[in-house]
Amino acid sequence: MADESHRTGASLRLWLVRHGRTLFNEREIAQGWCDSPLSEEGRSQVRHLAAALINVPWVGVYSSTSERAMDTAEILVEDRHPIVRDRRWKEYNFGVWEARANDEVFAELNRIGAPGDSPSVRLRGLFLGDFPALEQGESGADFSARVAGAIADIRAAHDVGDVLVVTHGMTIGVAVRQADPSFEHERGPGNASITLIEYPSDNAAAIRAFGAVSSHGLLTPVSG
């Protein structure tokens, strides 16, 4: 899962962690801007990840403003680091399809895509910003723009080092496709998993891990 390619120059590494498993996750209900609490399993997942990441010297910690993300972030860092709340890291807004069964929501996403497109092509269009809005929801362009803005502000604030961002599955998909539009994956990152994007000062962004469930091989020093 991790790419151990040699890095040159100073690097910023963005650790995108999806929130722990929630009540709606367990019931297979879509939660974009609506929310549900972490389940007991979810809290256990996050505590396990916190132990694995305890020695990472974060230069910044950011979180979606959704409760499930903030609760995850607070478990991960406790009181060792301030957490910057940023609504731009929220999940995709499903509009009137919020809190509906996942199968219904993705059927609607498929329905409004271009005729003949496969579900994976339609989802790729959403990640790349080329997708209409669900009713009273968010367009792919707006979704992509807010994630791009959040990343740009982090890169402006931190030239080098490890930055933690606690966010959501589809939001991570957008960030990954912005780093590498050709990146393909069969499914989204799991709960309490790590997606690591590196931004070297002298090279293009690189995806070092996607949906990793362990920090093994990822805790290497940042050069600079």
Side-chain angles (χ1 to χ4, degrees):
M1 290 186 290
D3 181 346
E4 294 298 326
S5 301
H6 178 64
R7 296 190 300 275
T8 59
S11 296
L12 169 68
R13 294 192 301 194
L14 203 60
W15 298 68
L16 301 170
V17 170
R18 185 183 173 201
H19 60 81
R21 190 167 174 82
T22 68
L23 178 63
F24 277 12
N25 289 150
E26 292 181 348
R27 296 183 178 180
E28 298 188 352
I29 295 172
Q31 52 184 356
W33 282 22
C34 71
D35 215 347
S36 71
L38 297 180
S39 66
E40 285 304 312
E41 179 186 357
R43 289 185 175 276
S44 177
Q45 290 174 329
V46 178
R47 287 192 293 267
H48 180 79
L49 183 60
L53 299 179
I54 193 168
N55 292 321
V56 180
W58 304 117
V59 298
V61 176
Y62 297 78
S63 175
S64 155
T65 53
S66 294
E67 181 181 0
R68 60 191 186 273
M70 280 297 301
D71 286 352
T72 297
E74 288 169 359
I75 294 171
L76 288 177
V77 300
E78 295 181 332
D79 57 355
R80 297 187 303 275
H81 204 291
I83 301 169
V84 178
R85 297 165 56 94
D86 188 339
R87 66 185 301 275
R88 293 175 296 180
W89 285 109
K90 289 180 71 170
E91 183 59 289
Y92 177 66
N93 184 347
F94 293 105
V96 300
W97 295 86
E98 292 278 347
R100 301 274 288 272
N102 286 340
D103 288 347
E104 293 181 30
V105 175
F106 282 94
E108 179 65 9
L109 286 170
N110 290 339
R111 187 187 69 78
I112 67 174
D117 281 351
S118 68
S120 62
V121 168
R122 293 186 177 107
L123 200 55
R124 186 185 307 122
L126 175 60
F127 291 155
L128 293 174
D130 182 20
F131 201 84
L134 294 173
E135 184 181 352
Q136 297 182 31
E138 184 174 26
S139 71
D142 288 345
F143 188 24
S144 181
R146 66 174 166 89
V147 176
I151 292 172
D153 285 352
I154 287 175
R155 296 186 68 182
H158 308 283
D159 293 330
V160 63
D162 291 294
V163 172
L164 173 65
V165 176
V166 181
T167 182
H168 308 268
M170 292 177 72
T171 312
I172 291 171
V174 171
V176 164
R177 290 300 175 85
Q178 290 178 355
D180 181 359
S182 67
F183 185 80
E184 297 289 346
H185 54 89
E186 293 183 0
R187 62 183 61 189
N191 293 111
S193 67
I194 301 165
T195 294
L196 180 57
I197 305 176
E198 184 176 17
Y199 299 91
S201 62
D202 57 355
N203 209 337
I207 299 162
R208 301 302 183 191
F210 180 81
V213 296
S214 167
S215 61
H216 179 70
L218 303 181
L219 300 176
T220 54
V222 174
S223 56

